[in-house]
Amino acid sequence: MTHHHDNQADGISRRHALECMIWAGTGVLWTISAGVPVSLSLLGAAQAAEALATGFTFLQISDSHIGFDKAANPHAIDTLKEAMGKIQALPQKPAFMIHTGDITHLSKAAQFDNAAQIIGGAGFDVHYVPGEHDLIDDGNGQAYLDRYGKGTKGAGWYSFDQNGVHFIGLVNVVNLKAGGLGNLGADQLAWLADDLKAVTASTPIVVFAHIPLWAVYPEWGWGTDDAAQALALLKRFGSVTVLNGHIHQIMQKVEGNVTFHTARSTAFPQPAPGTAASPGPMTVPAGQLRSLLGTSSVTVKQGGQDLAIIDSTLA
Amino acid sequence: MIRFPSRLLVVSPVAFGLAAILTMISMPLNAADQPMVKIENFAFTPAVLTVKQGTAVTFENDDDIPHLAVANDGSFRSKALDTGDTYAFTFNKVGDYAYFCGLHPHMQGRITVAP
């Protein structure tokens, strides 16, 4: 059984951990090491360099919320520009990017246009899935599909293959039910079952969707009602990586063959589960936003090798 | 000498709390003609509201995140309400109207319409 943290037997030096935490504010850089997707923040510097030289990398950004201008970050457009600037300045270019939703704040045409200009301006292929903020135009999601729906099914789900990895973009922000959480729905689950039929069990799988596919904190809606059905379909695969956004902070959990990971927002932080009256934008003193975005929730455990997970099942 | 002020500190929040409760009790009386559901901290306040048939209820979003109010039975659905936006719906039929936020469905409320 291969675990992602087998690759860091040498441990993470304090300096390296800090570098990674700073990097975490702009995006999460992923690479494929020995067929298993590994976040570069989990690798020692030497291994990261080797992976970059021999493998391929892709980059996840999330929750850019273009149009957000409230106290938590009056300039969400500027922090997205900064993030893209850092990505463009990487010495080793990622093969492509994924955006795990909430591209815009209010699904307005100008917000989509600004996001496309800033993100697209970097010249990478970008694979999107929508967040709930991207589907609140008058057409209930038509604005998103007009821009990003080409070649997708249903509300915008799809899959593609790159360098031997099978990528699956899922949509869990439509047809939400009273009292419920994120929702994939029967149609999408049927499509997923069919999509996976032709994929061999040894193929690494990367699933990305906006709302976490595990119960991070259901009291704040941070989970997906029918995620278990999707995960059951992924059981036979040796390596499954699930990448989400929505909660504007990094969390990671490993369960059997599945590694779950959430990315930070480029717009504003949200509080850790249960630490505030609501999951709304967290306003920090002026000047601290960027440092908090970069460092707030990533903890390298003393004596352990993996990222600390805030366990959110409160059962 | 030390205990006395510390006891004051304990008592005063209770007094403030009582004042707040009294204010809340008096509010629906003043606002009987224009009942309002505030959306703040990812919650509908009040979560349960009783109005007379034919009353317009206004939903107002005071959060920095958009919300929308959707009846479970589909009888009403607001647009996405940005900060400060309002949506009014007139309840002409007697009954219980459970509703939720279409973006954050764990947010729920109920409006009872009495004859």
Side-chain angles (χ1 to χ4, degrees), chain A residues 70 106 133 177 179-180 219 281, chain B residues 41 65-66 82-83 100 105-106 108:
Chain A
K70 303 300 189 296
L106 296 168
H133 287 255
K177 309 286 188 297
E219 288 82 350
Chain B
N41 281 326
I65 286 290
D82 195 11
T83 309
F100 65 106
H106 66 285
Q108 297 181 82

Side-chain angles (χ1 to χ4, degrees), chain A residues 284-295:
Chain A
V284 297
Q288 285 186 24
L289 174 64
R290 284 161 180 79
S291 65
L292 186 67
L293 279 174
T295 61

Side-chain angles (χ1 to χ4, degrees), chain B:
Chain B
M1 290 300 278
I2 293 163
R3 283 191 159 230
F4 185 64
S6 74
R7 202 182 271 176
L8 267 184
L9 282 173
V10 172
V11 170
S12 51
V14 174
F16 277 121
L18 278 173
I21 287 164
L22 288 171
T23 308
M24 283 166 71
I25 288 168
S26 67
M27 266 173 62
L29 295 173
N30 297 335
D33 296 327
Q34 293 288 325
M36 178 164 281
V37 174
K38 292 255 192 187
I39 308 172
E40 48 192 355
N41 281 326
F42 284 63
F44 296 104
T45 308
V48 178
L49 177 68
T50 300
V51 298
K52 280 205 154 192
Q53 190 175 5
T55 304
V57 175
T58 300
F59 298 81
E60 181 182 290
N61 180 20
D62 290 345
D63 269 348
D64 281 353
I65 286 290
H67 296 291
L68 52 92
V70 184
N72 291 16
D73 66 2
S75 56
F76 65 88
R77 179 187 180 93
S78 76
K79 290 192 172 180
L81 304 175
D82 195 11
T83 309
D85 286 354
T86 60
Y87 164 75
F89 181 79
T90 303
F91 290 88
N92 288 321
K93 282 189 180 171
V94 170
D96 260 348
Y97 295 84
Y99 64 91
F100 65 106
C101 172
L103 293 177
H104 314 99
H106 66 285
M107 296 168 53
Q108 297 181 82
R110 194 174 76 243
I111 291 171
T112 299
V113 181

Side-chain angles (χ1 to χ4, degrees), chain A residues 181 212-218 222-224 253 311-314:
Chain A
L181 307 172
L213 289 170
W214 87 101
V216 173
Y217 196 62
W222 291 357
T224 300
K253 177 177 129 160
D311 189 354
S312 52
T313 54
L314 302 178

